[in-house]
Amino acid sequence: PGGGRWLAVYGGGLVRYERGQFTTLNTADGLADNYARAVALGPDGAVWVGTDRGLSRLLGGRFSHFHAAEGPASDAIRTLLVDRDGTVLAGAERGLFRVAGGALVRVPLPAMTDRATVETILRDRLGRLWVGTSNGLVCIDGSRTEVMGAAHGVSSSAIRHVYEDAAGRIWVAPLRGVDCAAPGAAGALRFAPIVPG
């Protein structure tokens, strides 16, 4: 089922485009909710779909579902990342989760971001995990976790998107404007506004 292009359509479910044809899968086909926000492909051919009512996986033509122990309040999935080792990370309206043992398990973040809405997730070429939340930009580098804010040049605590370009620069789209950083000589990052907010 992993072939073609996949789209998450908010209110329209999961849409597949292949060979000039569109196919829609929705709750009648087993999707958790038609309000889909994110889609990602796994190395095993699974199609992962983040919806407002949890995480769905399409594999072998069948959907299965994953929920957080906290219940439905934590289940609105905003963004997905299938990591290099196949680990699935889900950014939700109340924190960051990973798929483990058939459920969504909370990934601890610093206190100010632990229950914030996770809008974007990126694994960069150096292996750092970037988590953009409604209350800060988190960088997880091995055992070191840091919230990047005004002291690092990030122009807003509400982060909408994080992107790494071909040169290895990290681009951040906060609530307003665009910031960019390149690794410094000692590996430290300093963001600068590219598009003022």
Side-chain angles (χ1 to χ4, degrees), residues 35 70 118:
Y35 289 88
E70 289 96 332
V118 174

Side-chain angles (χ1 to χ4, degrees), residues 87-103:
T87 299
V88 178
L89 295 172
E93 287 191 1
R94 295 191 185 180
L96 180 65
F97 295 85
R98 67 180 169 80
V99 174

Side-chain angles (χ1 to χ4, degrees), residues 77-95:
I77 306 299
R78 312 275 298 209
T79 186
L80 292 171
L81 171 72
V82 178
D83 223 335
R84 296 171 184 143
D85 63 0
T87 299
V88 178
L89 295 172
E93 287 191 1
R94 295 191 185 180

Side-chain angles (χ1 to χ4, degrees), residues 21-112:
Q21 299 291 318
F22 289 94
T23 305
T24 299
L25 300 172
N26 54 38
T27 53
D29 302 296
L31 185 64
D33 190 32
N34 290 332
Y35 289 88
R37 294 179 183 261
V39 63
L41 301 179
D44 58 355
V47 180
W48 294 88
V49 188
T51 78
D52 278 3
R53 293 189 178 174
L55 180 64
S56 292
R57 179 185 65 192
L58 177 63
L59 184 61
R62 297 185 64 175
F63 281 104
S64 52
H65 308 289
F66 302 80
H67 298 281
E70 289 96 332
S74 297
D75 277 357
I77 306 299
R78 312 275 298 209
T79 186
L80 292 171
L81 171 72
V82 178
D83 223 335
R84 296 171 184 143
D85 63 0
T87 299
V88 178
L89 295 172
E93 287 191 1
R94 295 191 185 180
L96 180 65
F97 295 85
R98 67 180 169 80
V99 174
L104 293 175
V105 177
R106 184 172 292 281
V107 175
L109 295 174
M112 65 181 289

